[in-house]
Amino acid sequence: MKNLMEYKGYLGSVDYNDEDKIFYGRVEYIRSLISYEGHDVESLRNSFQEAVDDYLELVRNQNIEPEQSFKGSFKIRTGSNLHRRAVIVAKQKGINLNKLVNEALEEYLKNYV
């Protein structure tokens, strides 16, 4: 994954500020703001991992469920024509719309991720 680190299922961005000569980032795809920084790749990675560990400890101490980056569902807006076509194809294949969309995404993404 380009410009992303992964730790315990969380993805963190990698950015660089040339003026301050510092790497920085934040945990992506959750609402909580969890940021970190470092002066080199190793210190950035360590800071990211510490930030995730601190977040998980904080929510555990507060008896709160930690946010998950990807819950497995999302809303899409297709427009009525594409929606109609997808429902018709799903019906013809004898599957539901959810399965059709999953199959289409799998096929589309197989060469990327």
Side-chain angles (χ1 to χ4, degrees), residues 1-7 9-17 22-30 32-38 40-41 43-49 51-52 69-70:
M1 286 180 266
K2 188 176 182 182
N3 297 327
L4 290 175
M5 300 181 288
E6 185 171 3
Y7 179 67
Y10 292 92
L11 296 174
S13 61
V14 177
D15 293 296
Y16 179 71
N17 181 312
I22 194 162
F23 291 96
Y24 65 96
R26 60 170 285 194
V27 175
E28 299 290 337
Y29 311 113
I30 64 173
S32 296
L33 177 58
I34 305 169
S35 59
Y36 44 87
E37 61 183 46
D40 56 30
V41 173
S43 65
L44 180 71
R45 176 168 289 285
N46 289 338
S47 181
F48 166 56
Q49 292 175 351
V52 170
S69 300
F70 305 101

Side-chain angles (χ1 to χ4, degrees), residues 3 9 21 26 36 38 52 55 62 68 79 81 86 101 108 111:
N3 297 327
K21 308 278 191 259
R26 60 170 285 194
Y36 44 87
V52 170
Y55 168 71
Q62 295 179 352
Q68 297 299 314
N81 187 41
V101 170
Y108 184 81
N111 295 319

Side-chain angles (χ1 to χ4, degrees), residues 1-111:
M1 286 180 266
K2 188 176 182 182
N3 297 327
L4 290 175
M5 300 181 288
E6 185 171 3
Y7 179 67
K8 294 187 177 179
Y10 292 92
L11 296 174
S13 61
V14 177
D15 293 296
Y16 179 71
N17 181 312
D18 193 46
E19 185 176 316
D20 295 332
K21 308 278 191 259
I22 194 162
F23 291 96
Y24 65 96
R26 60 170 285 194
V27 175
E28 299 290 337
Y29 311 113
I30 64 173
R31 288 180 296 197
S32 296
L33 177 58
I34 305 169
S35 59
Y36 44 87
E37 61 183 46
H39 292 285
D40 56 30
V41 173
E42 186 176 337
S43 65
L44 180 71
R45 176 168 289 285
N46 289 338
S47 181
F48 166 56
Q49 292 175 351
E50 288 174 11
V52 170
D53 287 339
D54 288 348
Y55 168 71
L56 292 173
E57 183 177 343
L58 175 71
V59 295
R60 186 180 65 244
N61 289 340
Q62 295 179 352
N63 291 322
I64 298 171
E65 193 71 27
E67 291 181 57
Q68 297 299 314
S69 300
F70 305 101
K71 296 178 177 125
S73 66
F74 62 96
K75 294 180 183 181
I76 60 170
R77 291 180 178 81
T78 62
S80 60
N81 187 41
L82 183 58
H83 187 180
R84 179 182 179 278
R85 291 170 43 212
V87 168
I88 290 169
V89 169
K91 180 75 169 172
Q92 290 170 343
K93 290 182 73 168
I95 60 176
N96 65 31
L97 183 58
N98 190 66
K99 182 148 180 65
L100 179 82
V101 170
N102 275 288
E103 288 177 0
L105 280 171
E106 284 290 343
E107 180 64 25
Y108 184 81
L109 296 174
K110 72 181 178 185
N111 295 319

